Amino acid sequence: MTAGVNDLVQRGVFNPGPYLQRHLNGDWGDLCDDDRRQNDVALKSGEDRLFSSYQVTSDLKLWIITEWDRSVTTLLLPEEY
């Protein structure tokens, strides 16, 4: 996780676990249909990254990105991209 997400976790104001589990289960969160389809294709082919976006609260959005080769999954805030 990035420094921004880690800070929220350390302060006890955010638990990313449920969102990571959703990502791992193929629940891509708040994406348009085209982005969902792209993730579904990437999941099967293993040739592209996986991206999820979750609107946690009105002022907190979490992004989760798994690299194309599945070597790394990163939890980040959009402003950290």
Side-chain angles (χ1 to χ4, degrees):
M1 72 183 73
T2 59
V5 175
N6 187 57
D7 179 61
L8 295 173
V9 171
Q10 293 301 313
R11 290 189 291 135
V13 297
F14 178 60
N15 174 10
Y19 299 96
L20 180 58
Q21 190 62 49
R22 287 175 64 184
H23 177 79
L24 294 172
N25 288 334
D27 173 355
W28 313 122
D30 306 310
L31 296 180
C32 69
D33 289 341
D34 286 341
D35 289 342
R36 288 177 184 279
R37 279 191 290 276
Q38 185 176 356
N39 274 351
D40 292 338
V41 169
L43 186 62
K44 292 176 184 170
S45 72
E47 295 179 1
D48 204 358
R49 71 179 189 163
L50 302 170
F51 174 76
S52 295
S53 178
Y54 306 100
Q55 190 70 48
V56 178
T57 66
S58 61
D59 60 345
L60 176 60
K61 183 179 281 191
L62 175 70
W63 285 356
I64 302 178
I65 300 172
T66 298
E67 296 302 325
W68 71 271
D69 63 357
R70 310 304 184 252
S71 63
V72 176
T73 296
T74 305
L75 289 75
L76 65 152
L77 305 176
E79 59 268 23
E80 296 177 297
Y81 186 73

